[in-house]
Amino acid sequence: MPKARVEVAGRTLLDRAVAILAPFCDDVAVVAPADVDAGTTSATRVRDVAGFEGPLAGLVAGLAWAGSEPGAPALVLGVDFPCVGRDLPRMLIERYAASRHAASPPHAIVPAPEGIPQPLVAIYDAAAAGELRAALDSGVRSLRGGLARLRIEWLDDAAIAALAGGAACLLNVNTPADLALASERLATESLS
C-alpha cells in the first residue's frame, strides 16, 4: 500500500497533509509517480517528471505546476510528516514574505532540525523548478543534491523550538514504530 494511504489518527497521511496545506494555498497538488495510486482527494493530481524517479523528480514537477513567475511561493509537505501542524506553514510563509526584500532572496526556506535538512517540509520560490530540473537533467537524484544548487534559508533548532510541538512536529514516518509514535502524538494534538 502506498504510504499516502496509510492511516494515522483516523485519517490517511495524504488527507492529513492536504488538510494542513489547504488553509494556506489557493490550490493543493498531490505529486506522485504515474504508477502510484494516491487515493481520492480534492487536490489536483500531478505526476513526477517523466523519465525520472524519486523525491527530486516530484519536487520539480510540483514546483513547475505551481508556476514559473519568480517569487511565487509553493509550500511543500511530504505525506510522511503527519505531526506538522499549521504553525510551521504559517512560519514558512511569514519568513518567505520577509525574505523577498533581500538583495538575493532565498529560493527556499527549509527546516534543518539538528542540522538535518527537511526539504519536503518547506517553502520554495516556484521558479526554482528550473534550477532543480537542471540538476535532475545533469544526473543529480537526491533532494539534498538539488538543494545544493539553491540559495537556502535554514530554519535552525531555535526557530523550530518556537513551533507548537517543537522538533517533534517534524517526525518523519518511515517505520511502524514511527507510525505508532505519530499516532500517540496526534491523539492529543490538533492541527494548530
Side-chain angles (χ1 to χ4, degrees), residues 22 44 85 96 112 127 131 151 167:
T44 301
Y96 185 85
E131 280 294 323
R151 286 184 310 277

Side-chain angles (χ1 to χ4, degrees), residues 2-165:
K3 192 185 284 192
R5 294 175 53 203
V6 170
E7 285 197 18
V8 62
R11 298 171 104 166
T12 66
L13 292 173
L14 174 61
D15 289 340
R16 183 164 186 77
V18 170
I20 291 165
L21 292 177
F24 302 102
C25 303
D26 293 334
D27 197 6
V28 176
V30 173
V31 183
D35 63 341
V36 171
D37 174 14
T40 58
T41 178
S42 61
T44 301
R45 177 68 157 90
V46 174
R47 288 172 173 55
D48 286 359
V49 175
F52 295 97
E53 295 180 348
L56 182 57
L59 180 58
V60 170
L63 294 178
W65 169 84
S68 59
E69 184 178 323
L75 277 170
V76 173
L77 178 59
V79 297
D80 44 0
F81 292 91
C83 296
V84 168
R86 292 197 175 112
D87 248 12
L88 181 52
R90 191 175 298 114
M91 177 187 281
L92 291 170
I93 290 167
E94 289 169 0
R95 288 198 177 213
Y96 185 85
S99 77
R100 299 297 89 191
H101 304 295
S104 292
H107 291 109
I109 300 173
V110 180
E114 297 182 7
I116 301 169
Q118 298 299 329
L120 293 180
V121 187
I123 191 166
Y124 291 82
D125 179 334
E131 280 294 323
L132 294 173
R133 177 61 195 250
L136 196 60
D137 289 340
S138 73
V140 173
R141 295 295 174 266
S142 74
L143 279 170
R144 291 188 183 143
L147 288 184
R149 295 188 175 219
L150 303 179
R151 286 184 310 277
I152 307 292
E153 178 182 323
W154 302 103
L155 290 184
D156 61 14
D157 291 333
I160 294 166
L163 297 167

